[in-house]
């Protein structure tokens, strides 16, 4: 392997740093001009809008059982009896499941779960990863033991950790989020640690040490701000992984309880009737795939604009 | 060389030890009496008491861990209270389908993705390259079970070419065996192809910029020779590395794929064990999969010596 691409990116970083104050401004401008960021961001904004405004999108209660409107195909009209005994006319855009619940409503509300899990799992694993990575990179005595622990955690496939944790804690929103975040911590830790190891040799850190700045202040005030760009990129990819894992957990029947409308749960309920009513699986599946795709495209765009070193590697 | 191999094998010991600690802690972090959890909901007080003694649950936690490790190294993973047999035997019974599925998937993925990656690098920036990169992002984004159902719907239900679900052992004839594995393997391959093709492209692209490629072209080698003998051969290490790392992805995929296609392998066993809260089996399966993952990555590391003669340890 040659040293030339890495040297080129080092030069690039140097020139960016030499530009001084304009760095943040130009990075933000580059992000906004990037088409991957625009497309991925727009799709996600739309999904966020769906999630927030789910009650006003012509939906009914997504957990409402209605024996009279079971197994409807998409587009069919019917009536729903609410818990108060009120009968409302409703068009089942996406059909209904075997309990007579409106799949359109369940899919719209399902966006809430997916996006909540994605954001919270990413923030949680980033927070723990940052603390562990800073500690491992800056406190030499902790490095060996902490990183061996992370190696061990990484040796267990992520889905298995998540499944096992949810199995013992039983599925609820907080346990699912924690179970998804834990296997992502080692990757964040490794990233932060490697960034810290290179940043701590920079002259401004040496200067801070020489001035007697306390260690925690160097870690959070001088080193952490310089790890933000790669962490934003990593965080985006964690969001994508979290959405997928949450859907897998629900789909396998070990995630959130079946009455909570999540895309994975809708698909799990559609499994026995897949032959006759494939839309029960395909419609939430399409939403799931588009959401993950949007996050991944956004992540690629951010990587290309914020983190040129990483962009060259992949 | 032998020294390197020995050192590399020894380096896996702490990783496996940490995995063992984590799997051990998994049960202790569960609210409730570990003996009662291990024995299952239907156990009698007598059975629970027996498990408590055999695991030394009345002793300090360090001693408990020692006893547990002692059982582990002799291959004793405990008894599944759901299947009523030793977990080690259970894993052995379920190994064939999973091993077949994984092998077929890796073979298929490598055969497809490496040529695709090489061509994309060769025609860098062209339509093929952009199409492959687009496919790669989609491959990472489409959930494996959604893909599974799309394939079942088109290939099995609409066209009727392949069976919908199920598994046939090799002993029942090779064609039925393969027939039942084709769709699951393709399903699992997509994300793997996306991953390997991406890395192959990046790695070949880097080696194509080297001086020896110009030399090879200058001396009049055919382009195919330049690409395979010079560019790809020098790009092998990252490709093999990503296959090793990808095993984790494959294991995750196996859990889902076996569940959708009703294949009675280890992935299916994992889900069934979790649904039944069969803790001895959950622990055993996690340990087994982690051991496989660490083992494969050990082999990958050792293969560097043969793939790249410049690497000397």
């Amino acid at each position: 392997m040659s040293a030339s691409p890495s040297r080129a990116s080092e030069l690039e970083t140097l020139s960016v740093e030499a530009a001084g104050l304009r760095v943040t401004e130009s990075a933000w401008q580059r992000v906004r001009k990037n088409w991957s960021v625009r497309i991925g961001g727009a799709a996600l904004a739309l999904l966020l809008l769906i999630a927030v405004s789910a009650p006003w999108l012509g939906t009914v209660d997504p957990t409402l059982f209605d024996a009279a409107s079971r197994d409807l195909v998409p587009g069919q009209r019917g009536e729903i009896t609410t818990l108060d005994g009120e009968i409302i006319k409703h068009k089942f855009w996406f059909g209904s499941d075997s309990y007579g619940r409106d799949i359109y409503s369940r899919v719209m509300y399902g966006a809430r779960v997916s996006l909540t899990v994605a954001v919270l799992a990413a923030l949680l694993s980033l927070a723990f990863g940052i603390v562990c990575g800073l500690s491992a990179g800056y406190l030499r005595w902790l490095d060996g033991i902490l990183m061996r622990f992370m190696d061990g955690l990484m040796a267990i496939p992520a889905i298995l950790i998540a499944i096992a944790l949810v199995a013992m804690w039983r599925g609820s929103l907080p346990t699912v989020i924690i179970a998804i975040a834990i296997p992502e911590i080692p990757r964040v830790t490794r990233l932060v640690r490697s960034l810290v190891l290179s940043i701590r040799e920079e002259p401004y850190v040496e200067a801070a040490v020489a001035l007697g700045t306390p260690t925690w202040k160097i870690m959070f005030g001088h080193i952490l701000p310089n790890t933000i760009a790669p962490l934003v990129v990593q965080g985006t990819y964690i969001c994508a992984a979290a959405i997928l894992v949450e859907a897998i957990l629900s789909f396998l029947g070990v995630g959130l309880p079946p009455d909570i409308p999540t895309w994975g749960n809708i698909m799990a309920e559609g499994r026995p009737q897949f032959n006759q009513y494939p839309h029960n699986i395909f419609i939430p599946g399409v939403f799931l795939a588009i959401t993950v795709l949007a996050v991944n495209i956004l992540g690629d765009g951010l990587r290309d604009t914020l983190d040129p070193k990483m962009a060259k590697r992949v | 060389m032998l020294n390197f191999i020995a050192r590399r094998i020894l380096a896996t010991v702490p990783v496996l030890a940490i995995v063992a600690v984590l799997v051990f802690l998994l049960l202790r972090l569960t609210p409730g009496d570990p003996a009662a959890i291990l024995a299952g909901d239907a156990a009698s007080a007598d059975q629970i008491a027996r498990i408590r003694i055999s695991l030394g649950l009345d002793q300090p936690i360090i001693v408990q861990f020692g006893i547990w490790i002692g059982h582990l190294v002799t291959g004793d993973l405990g008894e599944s209270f759901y299947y009523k047999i030793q977990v080690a035997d259970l894993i052995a019974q379920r190994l064939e389908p999973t091993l077949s599925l994984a092998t077929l998937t890796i073979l298929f993925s490598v055969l497809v993705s490496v040529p695709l990656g090489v061509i994309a690098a060769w025609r860098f920036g062209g339509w093929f390259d952009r199409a492959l990169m687009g496919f790669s992002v989609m491959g990472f984004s489409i959930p494996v079970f959604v893909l599974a159902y799309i394939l079942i719907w088109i290939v099995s239900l609409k066209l009727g070419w392949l069976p919908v679900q199920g598994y046939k052992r090799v002993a029942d004839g090779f064609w039925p065996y393969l027939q039942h594995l084709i769709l699951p393997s393709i399903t699992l391959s997509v994300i793997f192809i996306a991953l390997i093709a991406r890395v192959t492209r990046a790695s070949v692209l880097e080696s194509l910029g080297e001086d020896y490629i110009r030399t090879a072209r200058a001396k009049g080698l055919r382009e195919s020779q330049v690409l395979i003998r010079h560019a790809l051969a020098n790009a092998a290490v990252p490709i093999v590395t990503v296959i090793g790392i990808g095993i984790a992805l494959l294991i995750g995929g196996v859990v889902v794929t076996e569940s959708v296609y009703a294949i009675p392998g280890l992935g299916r066993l994992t889900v069934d064990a979790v649904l039944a809260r069969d803790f001895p089996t959950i622990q055993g399966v996690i340990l087994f999969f982690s051991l496989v993952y660490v083992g494969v990555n050990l082999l990958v590391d050792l293969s560097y010596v043969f793939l790249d003669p410049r690497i000397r340890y």
Side-chain angles (χ1 to χ4, degrees), chain A:
Chain A
M1 256 182 252
S2 88
S4 55
S6 63
R7 203 180 303 149
S9 65
E10 265 168 42
L11 285 176
E12 196 176 313
T13 323
L14 279 179
S15 64
V16 168
E17 276 165 11
L21 273 178
R22 294 203 44 229
V23 170
T24 46
E25 189 195 10
S26 66
W28 175 234
Q29 280 174 344
R30 264 183 295 145
V31 167
R32 275 197 320 189
K33 265 191 238 151
N34 183 286
W35 274 103
S36 298
V37 174
R38 287 180 179 178
I39 294 170
L44 276 179
L46 190 65
L47 282 157
L48 191 66
L49 193 69
I50 288 177
V52 172
S53 54
W56 302 282
L57 292 173
T59 55
V60 293
D61 180 354
T63 57
L64 190 68
F65 287 19
D66 190 77
S69 41
R70 282 160 49 180
D71 299 324
L72 299 178
V73 293
Q76 214 167 324
R77 285 179 184 283
E79 284 170 346
I80 288 183
T81 316
T82 63
L83 290 177
D84 315 324
E86 190 191 345
I87 296 174
I88 38 175
K89 287 202 183 306
H90 184 71
K91 185 165 182 178
F92 291 84
W93 292 103
F94 295 169
S96 66
D97 64 14
S98 54
Y99 298 102
R101 291 176 294 197
D102 178 34
I103 292 178
Y104 169 74
S105 307
R106 290 179 72 70
V107 168
M108 295 296 119
Y109 278 92
R112 291 183 164 188
V113 176
S114 283
L115 295 179
T116 310
V117 169
V119 172
L120 292 182
L123 288 179
L124 195 64
S125 54
L126 282 178
F128 275 90
I130 286 170
V131 172
C132 293
L134 280 177
S135 318
Y138 210 82
L139 310 170
R140 303 308 303 175
W141 55 271
L142 200 62
D143 189 32
I145 184 150
L146 196 61
M147 291 321 287
R148 290 299 79 71
F149 178 80
M150 293 299 168
D151 286 347
L153 197 55
M154 270 178 104
I156 310 176
I159 290 185
L160 289 185
I161 300 181
I163 289 182
L165 289 176
V166 173
M168 44 179 243
W169 293 332
R170 311 221 181 223
S172 69
L173 198 58
T175 58
V176 165
I177 290 168
I178 295 170
I180 292 172
I182 286 178
E184 300 291 341
I185 294 174
R187 271 165 274 270
V188 182
T189 306
R190 279 196 174 185
L191 175 68
V192 174
R193 175 178 174 272
S194 71
L195 290 166
V196 170
L197 286 183
S198 58
I199 295 170
R200 60 178 284 163
E201 306 301 329
E202 299 281 340
Y204 58 83
V205 177
E206 278 176 31
V209 174
L211 287 169
T213 316
T215 305
W216 65 268
K217 208 169 174 183
I218 295 176
M219 281 163 59
F220 288 94
H222 295 260
I223 294 180
L224 190 61
N226 287 290
T227 63
I228 285 175
L231 281 177
V232 167
V233 177
Q234 183 75 14
T236 320
Y237 291 133
I238 295 176
C239 284
I243 295 172
L244 280 177
V245 176
E246 186 278 318
I248 288 173
L249 292 177
S250 296
F251 177 77
L252 293 175
V254 298
L256 292 169
D259 55 311
I260 296 179
T262 74
W263 293 338
N265 276 343
I266 305 170
M267 284 186 262
E269 281 143 23
R271 287 176 76 178
Q273 296 177 299
F274 178 67
N275 283 355
Q276 302 107 300
Y277 307 108
H279 60 268
N280 287 13
I281 284 185
F282 287 148
I283 291 170
V286 166
F287 272 83
L288 183 58
I290 288 177
T291 308
V292 180
L293 186 64
V295 180
N296 275 332
I297 290 176
L298 177 69
D300 285 354
L302 290 175
R303 181 197 62 203
D304 293 343
T305 46
L306 288 178
D307 196 1
K309 275 188 196 171
M310 197 169 166
K312 283 214 174 60
R313 263 184 270 134
V314 182

Side-chain angles (χ1 to χ4, degrees), chain A residues 2 152 154-156 160 163-164 167-168 170 248 251-254 267 271 274-275 278 282 288 292-293 296 300, chain B residues 19 22 26 30 137 141 143 145 149-150 153 157 198 206 210 256 259-260 274-275 277 279 286 289-290 293:
Chain A
S2 88
M154 270 178 104
I156 310 176
L160 289 185
I163 289 182
M168 44 179 243
R170 311 221 181 223
I248 288 173
F251 177 77
L252 293 175
V254 298
M267 284 186 262
R271 287 176 76 178
F274 178 67
N275 283 355
F282 287 148
L288 183 58
V292 180
L293 186 64
N296 275 332
D300 285 354
Chain B
V19 171
L22 290 173
L26 187 66
T30 309
V137 180
S141 306
F145 50 100
Y149 277 107
I150 294 173
W153 196 64
L157 293 177
R198 207 173 240 245
E206 198 178 319
E210 298 289 340
V256 180
S259 194
V260 175
V274 166
L275 289 174
R277 289 174 65 84
F279 267 89
I286 293 178
F289 274 133
S290 307
Y293 180 59

Side-chain angles (χ1 to χ4, degrees), chain B residues 123-140:
Chain B
R123 287 282 175 256
F124 172 65
W127 65 268
F128 186 86
D129 184 30
R130 274 177 299 172
L132 185 68
M133 286 297 98
F135 162 81
S136 162
V137 180
M138 299 231 275
F140 282 124

